[in-house]
Amino acid sequence: MADRNSNFNSALEGSLLELERLGMSRVLRTEQVKAISTLTSGEDLVAVLPTGFGKSLIFQLLVRVVECLTGKASCVLVVCPLKSIIQDQLAEATSLGLKAVALGNCRLDDISSGKYQIIYGSAEEILSKPFLSCLKKTDSPFHQQLCAIVVDECHTVETWTGQRSSKKGKTDAFRASFGELGMLRSFCKKSTPVGALTGTADPTTRETIKRALNLSQTAEVIYVSPNRLNLRFSVQKVKKEQHLKKLDWLVDLVKKEGINTPKTIVFCNTMNEIAIVVNYLMSQLGKKVFFPNYSSVKDNCLIGIYHSNSWQSSKDRVMEQFKSGGVKRVIIATTALCMGVNFPDVRFIINWGPARSILDQHQEAGRAGRDGKTAHVIVIYHGQQVGHCEQQIKDFVRAKGCFRVAAYKSLDDTIQPLEPPHDCCSFCSSICKCAG
């Protein structure tokens, strides 16, 4: 055991030195090191780590560590739910000097020959017959070099497959393939571990993940509280006819700041709500919705729209402008924008009605303040909008006390209000006695 730890530490140190050579930080959190160690030892893993924690670095470093330990080429298969996540992670892996590829953008013969260190794909792509045929070829370099299967945003094996129950029973499957990923390990070497990574999973969800992915009952579980101290929660219940007026502060902010408006995402639950919000903001802002004001070209609009039915080219353009400090300052979106995408400097998340589940609520909130600076999560709703929500969401928005505690209690029952109270939530701010 001592020899194994010594070898692992040496291999990890070598991998971190390579990161340093590329100009990256070589500082790892304890939980990241434990996750990498677990997978290199062939054990299954469930890691629930907050947004912005650096989950992708776990499997990026895993490849290098295994190559250092074995002296042979290695690769990881990563299941991702969204193309936007894959695009981000491809760019990140490439910047680390890793040979990475997305299924659909390469030849299966190249994968089979062991050309790549990280292969990304959706559940549908990875469970396709051609890819499974490639995976199960026991004499191929790919089959021999595969050191782990990683399911990123693994809460989707519950929330997208109809396995998450509510008082109304189980929901319809959105993408059923995510519930069939458990078969993957039967196509791999017997010792191949499966790692499941997510930012949000309550105890019930963690058990569903282990069952759906056929993880060992002794799988290592690494859990870090999702409580992010730089997020301030605000909940406002309004009359339906006053709902839009609660966005007037955002209108005033955009009029004043223009291209310097703090980055904001407004999450809506339906396409109709997106249309209502966009039309209101556009009508209230007039020419000031563009930068420069005299230009009415769509690409110069400060407001962007993002939802699952958008053309991919439109989503790519909005994402790029929002990330790179471009013209887009306010994005009106569905939950399609709530996972895996790294916008480091979002200052406001506005929920135009609460998310339907507590997991979605925290995924959406997780887009804010990833740079560690103060950010605000603002839920504005009227009574009709909570009818389709899980009970945990109803309990959250109807809380009579601290909204932070109410938001997190199903995920971490040790949460306490922050001090000073005005940094915690709208309720705690209302009873704060200091001058802050």
Side-chain angles (χ1 to χ4, degrees), residues 89-105:
Q89 293 194 1
L90 271 175
E92 191 176 299
T94 301
S95 73
L96 296 176
L98 294 166
K99 297 175 183 176
V101 73
L103 287 178
N105 295 338

Side-chain angles (χ1 to χ4, degrees), residues 228-331:
R228 293 177 52 210
L229 304 184
N230 63 318
L231 299 187
R232 184 185 184 278
F233 290 83
S234 175
V235 179
Q236 305 172 36
K237 183 180 181 181
V238 300
K239 293 181 178 180
K240 187 175 182 179
E241 57 270 22
Q242 294 296 315
H243 206 188
L244 286 168
K245 297 295 291 180
K246 290 297 180 178
L247 289 176
D248 284 352
W249 67 270
L250 180 60
V251 171
D252 293 339
L253 186 63
V254 175
K255 284 181 177 179
K256 179 182 177 182
E257 300 293 340
I259 191 66
N260 296 314
T261 300
K263 289 183 182 178
T264 302
I265 302 175
V266 183
F267 281 108
C268 300
N269 286 310
T270 68
M271 297 295 296
N272 185 53
E273 288 179 345
I274 285 182
I276 290 171
V277 171
V278 170
N279 287 338
Y280 183 77
L281 293 179
M282 297 285 282
S283 66
Q284 295 298 305
L285 287 168
K287 289 185 177 180
K288 291 200 171 182
V289 80
F290 295 101
F291 182 84
N293 293 343
Y294 57 77
S295 173
S296 298
V297 179
K298 183 169 66 173
D299 281 349
N300 291 338
C301 184
L302 297 169
I303 295 174
I305 301 173
Y306 190 105
H307 54 80
S308 59
N309 294 328
S310 300
W311 291 104
Q312 189 61 47
S313 58
S314 175
K315 289 192 281 191
D316 291 345
R317 187 166 59 250
V318 167
M319 293 254 300
E320 182 56 35
Q321 287 197 343
F322 200 57
K323 272 189 206 173
S324 63
V327 172
K328 296 291 181 280
R329 309 306 294 178
V330 180
I331 306 298

